[in-house]
């Protein structure tokens, strides 16, 4: 059985005070939830304060990005060991906003994953096609390429530390979601690809999250799909009420 994961990507939103308040409320309101994994991805500046709040809970904490070099003269970047030092357990890598606005290519994503794993951070790798790619019928090719390139040289012993988030780019922040059936179809392709890259047992255990306009009114039907193991949520994770109803989708 794969424990469902509900992850909040706060992106470039909230002040430190706002992040603290939201994290405090999430922590108290989810204290009795044992059947799901919750992970928060605040912006870098909020991480130390959020880390203080969630320590001694089961809530995971992650950076939204990491640099692929270990340490040194890389002005403006954040290293994996610094994320770890600030209390992070996880890191998001390859989000489409990073790939597109900041031109992160396959090689960069792969190097970031290797560095993050070397720092004992759990990696949530984002993959997904653009609208144009979907319309051209190359969704499968895009997703398979993203997975194969990202996991080059990643050892099989690291698999418990990996999550995949399938986020079709056209569904992010647009209010459009993939239908549960369409999303599940891509999740199956992802799991099949992971089986090929690693092995069946490992692929069967990996959590594959869906992301892209997940809201309280559509999460249930997404989570009912066999290969959808969680949600990576942007907009709806910024408000306490909607985030809690996402976490409580099955109650
Ligand atoms: P939205 O939930 O705002 O569509 O964002 C999805 C996302 O990009 C999460 O990483």
């Amino acid at each position: 059985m794969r424990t469902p994961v509900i992850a909040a990507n706060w992106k470039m939103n909230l002040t430190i005070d706002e992040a603290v308040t939201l994290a405090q409320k999430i922590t108290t309101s989810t204290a009795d939830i044992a059947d799901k994994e919750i992970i928060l991805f605040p912006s870098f500046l909020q991480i130390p304060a959020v880390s203080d709040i969630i320590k001694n809970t089961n809530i995971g904490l992650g950076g939204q990005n990491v640099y692929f070099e270990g340490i040194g003269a890389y002005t403006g970047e954040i290293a994996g060991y610094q994320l770890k030092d600030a209390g992070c357990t996880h890191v998001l890598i390859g989000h489409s906003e990073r790939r597109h606005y900041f031109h992160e290519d396959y090689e960069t994503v792969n190097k970031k994953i290797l560095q993050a794993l070397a720092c004992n951070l759990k990696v949530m790798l984002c993959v997904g096609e653009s609208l144009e790619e979907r319309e051209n019928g190359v969704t499968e090719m895009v997703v398979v390429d993203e997975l194969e390139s990202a996991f080059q040289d990643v050892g099989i012993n690291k698999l418990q530390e990996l999550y995949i988030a399938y986020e079709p780019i056209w569904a992010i922040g647009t209010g459009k979601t993939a239908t549960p059936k369409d999303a599940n179809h891509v999740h199956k392709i992802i799991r099949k690809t992971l089986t090929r890259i690693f092995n069946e047992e490992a692929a069967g255990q990996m959590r594959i999250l869906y992301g892209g306009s997940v809201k309280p009114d559509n999460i249930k039907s997404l989570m009912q799909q066999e290969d959808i193991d969680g949600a990576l949520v942007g907009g709806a994770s910024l408000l306490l009420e909607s985030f809690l109803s996402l976490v409580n989708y099955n109650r």
Side-chain angles (χ1 to χ4, degrees), residues 9 11 95 97 167 171-173 212-214 232-235:
N9 178 5
K11 305 193 180 183
H95 193 283
E97 286 150 18
E167 300 205 305
I172 296 178
S213 298
V214 176
L232 176 58
V233 189

Side-chain angles (χ1 to χ4, degrees), residues 6-11 26 38-42 231-234 237 243:
I6 307 295
N9 178 5
W10 291 347
K11 305 193 180 183
I26 291 173
I38 298 169
I39 309 170
L40 305 179
F41 292 97
L232 176 58
V233 189
S237 73
F243 187 65

Side-chain angles (χ1 to χ4, degrees), residues 13-191:
N13 295 292
L14 309 174
T15 62
I16 295 174
D17 276 354
E18 287 165 346
V20 162
T21 306
L22 183 56
Q24 272 164 342
K25 290 183 177 158
I26 291 173
T27 304
T28 21
S29 318
T30 60
D32 61 340
I33 293 184
D35 62 339
K36 301 189 192 81
E37 198 174 312
I38 298 169
I39 309 170
L40 305 179
F41 292 97
S43 80
F44 290 134
L45 292 174
Q46 300 156 359
I47 285 173
V50 174
S51 170
D52 275 348
I53 294 162
I54 61 154
K55 72 169 166 257
N56 306 322
T57 73
N58 291 326
I59 298 178
L61 176 63
Q64 298 171 14
N65 184 24
V66 64
Y67 194 50
F68 56 70
E69 294 291 351
I71 189 167
Y74 302 100
T75 303
E77 291 294 334
I78 306 266
Y81 84 92
Q82 293 175 315
L83 288 179
K84 196 79 191 170
D85 180 53
C88 287
T89 44
H90 292 70
V91 64
L92 268 188
I93 295 182
H95 193 283
S96 61
E97 286 150 18
R98 301 280 338 155
R99 293 184 196 256
H100 291 91
Y101 301 144
F102 304 98
H103 313 292
E104 289 190 8
D105 60 14
Y106 288 177
E107 190 189 344
T108 305
V109 169
N110 174 242
K111 288 189 338 198
K112 289 186 172 194
I113 292 177
L114 294 172
Q115 180 60 235
L117 292 173
C119 294
N120 291 321
L121 289 161
K122 297 183 183 196
V123 169
M124 189 173 290
L125 169 72
C126 304
V127 298
E129 81 287 1
S130 65
L131 184 59
E132 193 187 352
E133 288 162 341
R134 169 158 285 239
E135 284 170 349
N136 290 336
V138 294
T139 298
E140 174 162 355
M141 201 177 84
V142 169
V143 168
V144 169
D145 279 356
E146 285 177 332
L147 291 168
E148 282 179 344
S149 54
F151 291 140
Q152 266 199 23
D153 302 323
V154 172
I156 197 135
N157 58 329
K158 292 290 187 183
L159 292 191
Q160 300 93 313
E161 290 154 46
L162 298 176
Y163 308 62
I164 311 290
Y166 168 57
E167 300 205 305
I169 297 164
W170 49 270
I172 296 178
T174 57
K176 292 183 196 154
T177 18
T179 65
K181 220 170 129 255
D182 281 355
N184 194 53
H185 173 71
V186 181
H187 282 229
K188 275 192 188 307
I189 292 169
I190 292 172
R191 211 176 295 283

